[in-house]
Amino acid sequence: MNSTLLFLVLLISSPAFSQIKVTLSGTIKDKSSTALLPYVNVQLKSATDSSFVSGTVTNEGGRYTLNNVVPGMYYLEISYVGYNNGHQALTIGKLSDFIDLGSFDLEEAITALNEVVVEGKQDAVSEALSKKTFNVSESINQSGGSLLQTLQNLPGVTINEEGKVLIRGSENVMLLVDGKQTALTGFGNQTGLDNIPASAIEKIEIINNPSSKYDANGSAGIINIIYKKEVTSTRVH
């Protein structure tokens, strides 16, 4: 074997050259109805230190795909508004570059949803709506950054490159502060929220199915940002 051929054999057999990258795929279903769930947050984390490795959301058919996963020990963290979080342990080997993880069932949260009253400056509206509440003040992870970062970490909520807040991929989101719309949360660029510390926020409410009485700009959902009482008092005075 000549030196050139020997070099090529060694190169191809080296760990860096032959490192396998695996594609993971699966579906998320409602445990009771077995219905496929769209826009579910799926995060792949290291089993060693729980560090974030990769993430995605399910498509309209309830299927997710995670690409370029290096073999190792992991777990899936699955979250969806109105459902209990799910976890699935994974051991990814080197025998296949594609693994179908099958279906994972999410169980609907038992906690009853409360009512929220949304008020507008011009047309006062009061209506009982189903909502999901996230207590920012009780979460160390959420309260450490900015309000915009906290919103981006909520299930189903993303921020696009233009700084607009999206719910399940739609820009038609109505942002409220303490139940009222302000210039800070208008329908355009909301990057100003990055200047507000999450530590000033008590909780965030997400309403996924607002009434048809609301403006079309809020058809995808309503996000109500509620300040801590002492912060609200300071802002008023």
Side-chain angles (χ1 to χ4, degrees):
M1 182 179 295
N2 60 46
S3 59
T4 303
L5 182 57
L6 177 59
F7 173 77
L8 290 175
V9 171
L10 292 174
L11 178 63
I12 294 173
S13 61
S14 66
F17 190 89
S18 59
Q19 179 67 65
I20 294 177
K21 296 294 182 66
V22 181
T23 297
L24 307 178
S25 185
T27 56
I28 308 297
K29 292 183 178 180
D30 181 290
K31 185 175 182 179
S32 299
S33 67
T34 70
L36 293 166
L37 298 175
Y39 310 115
V40 178
N41 280 324
V42 180
Q43 294 187 24
L44 182 69
K45 295 188 176 182
S46 169
T48 304
D49 57 8
S50 298
S51 60
F52 177 84
V53 177
S54 181
T56 186
V57 295
T58 58
N59 60 21
E60 294 182 355
R63 178 165 292 278
Y64 65 89
T65 300
L66 296 167
N67 299 310
N68 299 320
V69 179
V70 176
M73 305 289 290
Y74 304 96
Y75 68 91
L76 289 179
E77 186 172 274
I78 303 166
S79 60
Y80 193 51
V81 175
Y83 287 77
N84 296 322
N85 287 353
H87 296 81
Q88 182 177 4
L90 299 174
T91 301
I92 308 302
K94 301 179 180 180
L95 298 180
S96 175
D97 60 1
F98 179 84
I99 299 177
D100 189 341
L101 299 175
S103 176
F104 185 90
D105 295 334
L106 272 187
E107 187 173 4
E108 192 169 3
I110 299 176
T111 304
L113 298 177
N114 299 321
E115 294 181 350
V116 59
V117 176
V118 180
E119 298 179 352
K121 288 186 176 181
Q122 297 180 352
D123 300 319
V125 179
S126 177
E127 185 171 357
L129 299 171
S130 62
K131 74 176 189 312
K132 183 69 175 179
T133 301
F134 300 90
N135 293 311
V136 179
S137 60
E138 296 178 3
S139 173
I140 298 176
N141 293 332
Q142 298 285 9
S143 60
S146 70
L147 173 55
L148 195 66
Q149 291 171 331
T150 298
L151 288 172
Q152 191 169 11
N153 289 328
L154 298 182
V157 179
T158 55
I159 311 297
N160 67 12
E161 295 179 354
E162 299 175 354
K164 293 182 181 179
V165 178
L166 315 179
I167 291 182
R168 302 188 303 277
S170 173
E171 296 182 6
N172 297 326
V173 179
M174 179 180 290
L175 275 169
L176 307 175
V177 174
D178 292 331
K180 298 180 180 179
Q181 187 181 348
T182 70
L184 183 65
T185 59
F187 297 119
N189 188 307
Q190 286 117 15
T191 53
L193 300 177
D194 203 29
N195 297 322
I196 300 175
S199 58
I201 307 303
E202 177 68 26
K203 58 185 177 180
I204 298 174
E205 299 170 338
I206 297 181
I207 304 168
N208 285 305
N209 299 300
S211 166
S212 58
K213 294 181 180 180
Y214 290 97
D215 191 287
N217 284 309
S219 61
I222 298 172
I223 298 177
N224 187 27
I225 301 163
I226 300 176
Y227 275 90
K228 292 180 178 179
K229 292 182 179 180
E230 61 269 22
V231 176
T232 303
S233 177
T234 303
R235 290 169 68 241
V236 171
H237 295 87

